[in-house]
Amino acid sequence: MSDDPRPSDARQNFLSLFLATVLGGFFLFVLVLLTGGLFLYVVLLVAFIGFLALFHYVLWGKLMSDSVAGEREEEQLRQRALSEEGGRAHRGKFQR
């Protein structure tokens, strides 16, 4: 069997996401109309805070990943060496 999703599955996923987005947008639009535009400021504030959170995550995540790349590589090499060394030590011994 192939792991590739069938085209109909992709279409169903897209349709679900599209309808949820359209209905969510309509719901927010109705809330803005009902509150006389006040809810628009709430939506904009939430969107701005979300943008700041995303920017912070991307910025610090990239810097953190770059700063620990050398340490991560050293740790992987150390783990690989320990596993190879442990495998050699157990080959010659008889175990019950």
Side-chain angles (χ1 to χ4, degrees):
M1 278 193 165
S2 176
D3 289 333
D4 295 333
R6 295 186 317 243
S8 63
D9 289 343
R11 194 176 317 133
Q12 288 174 357
N13 289 339
F14 175 76
L15 182 61
S16 298
L17 292 173
F18 179 74
L19 288 175
T21 302
V22 168
L23 290 175
F26 178 73
F27 180 71
L28 290 176
F29 178 71
V30 168
L31 284 176
V32 168
L33 288 179
L34 290 176
T35 60
L38 183 64
F39 196 72
L40 178 63
Y41 294 114
V42 174
V43 171
L44 291 176
L45 180 66
V46 169
F48 180 70
I49 291 172
F51 172 75
L52 285 179
L54 178 66
F55 179 72
H56 184 268
Y57 173 75
V58 168
L59 181 69
W60 283 101
K62 173 73 171 130
L63 291 175
M64 180 75 162
S65 179
D66 289 348
S67 70
V68 298
E71 295 173 19
R72 182 174 41 243
E73 184 178 352
E74 288 174 8
E75 181 64 21
Q76 288 172 347
L77 289 173
R78 189 178 72 78
Q79 291 294 331
R80 190 176 307 135
L82 286 175
S83 67
E84 289 174 359
E85 188 177 292
R88 286 189 208 131
H90 291 296
R91 285 185 192 153
K93 295 182 180 178
F94 177 74
Q95 294 180 357
R96 290 186 180 211

